[in-house]
Amino acid sequence: MVSKNQIKLITSLQQKKYRKQEQLFFAEGVKVVQELLHSNFELQDLFTTKQDFLTVPKNKVHAISEVELKKISALTTPNTCLAVFKIPKVKEMVEKGLIVALDDVRDPGNLGTIIRLCDWFGIETLFCSEESVDIYNPKVVQATMGSISRVNVVYGNLETFLSQTKLPVFGTFMDGNNIYQEELPKEGIIIMGNEANGISTSVEKLVSERIAIPRFGNLQVTESLNVATATAIILSEFKRK
């Protein structure tokens, strides 16, 4: 069974302030939980409706009913398990290779997908502005499908970071240079902007190279691409070059 105190704690972790206070977050679903169990994340408790985790210490596994799981789940349709993990200490950031930087990305699904893309394309570091959505938001964790354990995500003042870096800074704009015609380096910082407003004016001033994904549609009326979709295209082109 899951106790009332456990229910209260887990449901509180849906809010950033309580995740920060308790230094805990949770993940749901066998695929995501298994990925995190094989990572450097430390498990606190695992709640499951099935006997799928035979290698996990018995004192950390709690059998619960589907009704109980629904009480602690953040999903509309709960999976079969939920695991609570300790938030690890932030790793020191190494400025090498390609780094993706997010300027106020607010949608959890977008951040989770971008983390997964970084994992796919071998991007070791993702820098997020302080206004960006929290990496340990349950929806972000879900969207990463386990990649959260393999990408170093750092939060900080984006303007300060960009003003101090020695790497070239690439900003994505509608009026930038055609990315398919650019000579792209193996090292640099790629800035992706806010879903509604793009890259902020203050950050734009620190961009050294403006790039764009050209539109090929006949009507040329589509205003923009989803930020995660644009990240996939841009990372693919940087790696292809």
Side-chain angles (χ1 to χ4, degrees):
M1 288 183 63
V2 55
S3 69
K4 289 184 178 179
N5 285 339
Q6 287 172 321
I7 292 174
K8 184 178 179 181
L9 170 64
I10 296 167
T11 53
S12 74
L13 297 179
Q14 294 189 36
Q15 297 181 53
K16 181 180 178 179
K17 67 176 181 179
Y18 292 113
R19 291 194 295 271
K20 187 175 181 180
Q21 176 181 303
E22 301 293 338
Q23 285 298 290
L24 297 171
F25 75 99
F26 67 82
E28 299 189 66
V30 176
K31 162 68 176 169
V32 179
V33 171
Q34 287 282 22
E35 288 268 2
L36 298 187
L37 286 173
H38 290 95
S39 73
N40 62 334
F41 286 112
E42 184 180 345
L43 175 70
Q44 174 150 308
D45 288 294
L46 172 59
F47 303 89
T48 178
T49 60
K50 297 182 178 180
Q51 298 300 315
D52 291 328
F53 303 92
L54 302 179
T55 60
V56 177
K58 291 184 179 180
N59 65 316
K60 294 193 174 185
V61 181
H62 310 276
I64 61 172
S65 67
E66 291 183 3
V67 173
E68 289 175 316
L69 181 60
K70 194 168 185 177
K71 290 180 180 179
I72 59 176
S73 175
L75 301 175
T76 305
T77 305
N79 207 293
T80 60
C81 62
L82 181 151
V84 179
F85 292 91
K86 294 181 181 180
I87 293 176
K89 291 182 179 179
V90 179
K91 297 177 184 176
E92 185 177 342
M93 190 178 74
V94 179
E95 289 188 47
K96 67 174 185 178
L98 288 175
I99 295 173
V100 174
L102 304 184
D103 183 11
D104 193 18
V105 168
R106 297 295 183 97
D107 183 82
N110 282 336
L111 177 56
T113 302
I114 290 171
I115 291 171
R116 198 173 176 189
L117 287 166
C118 286
D119 186 21
W120 182 270
F121 285 104
I123 307 299
E124 296 180 3
T125 301
L126 174 65
F127 189 99
C128 296
S129 67
E130 294 164 328
E131 299 79 17
S132 294
V133 63
D134 179 33
I135 180 181
Y136 296 111
N137 178 302
K139 292 180 180 179
V140 174
V141 175
Q142 197 71 21
T144 70
M145 293 301 290
S147 290
I148 189 174
S149 65
R150 293 184 290 272
V151 178
N152 185 28
V153 181
V154 179
Y155 284 80
N157 187 298
L158 183 55
E159 292 172 48
T160 301
F161 169 57
L162 295 177
S163 65
Q164 295 175 349
T165 187
K166 294 180 181 179
L167 296 174
V169 179
F170 292 84
T172 50
F173 300 91
M174 291 297 292
D175 63 350
N177 298 323
N178 185 335
I179 190 172
Y180 301 124
Q181 297 174 355
E182 290 292 291
E183 289 292 330
L184 302 173
K186 292 183 178 180
E187 290 196 320
I189 298 168
I190 305 167
I191 306 173
M192 305 303 298
N194 172 266
E195 289 90 344
N197 304 310
I199 293 174
S200 60
T201 304
S202 57
V203 170
E204 182 179 355
K205 294 175 182 177
L206 299 168
V207 170
S208 54
E209 301 285 343
R210 299 171 68 93
I211 55 175
I213 300 168
R215 290 179 293 190
F216 292 97
N218 292 330
L219 297 178
Q220 300 283 301
V221 293
T222 305
E223 289 188 359
S224 64
L225 284 173
N226 168 273
V227 64
T229 301
T231 302
I233 295 169
I234 288 169
L235 287 181
S236 179
E237 191 62 14
F238 264 89
K239 288 296 184 177
R240 188 181 73 84
K241 294 289 181 68

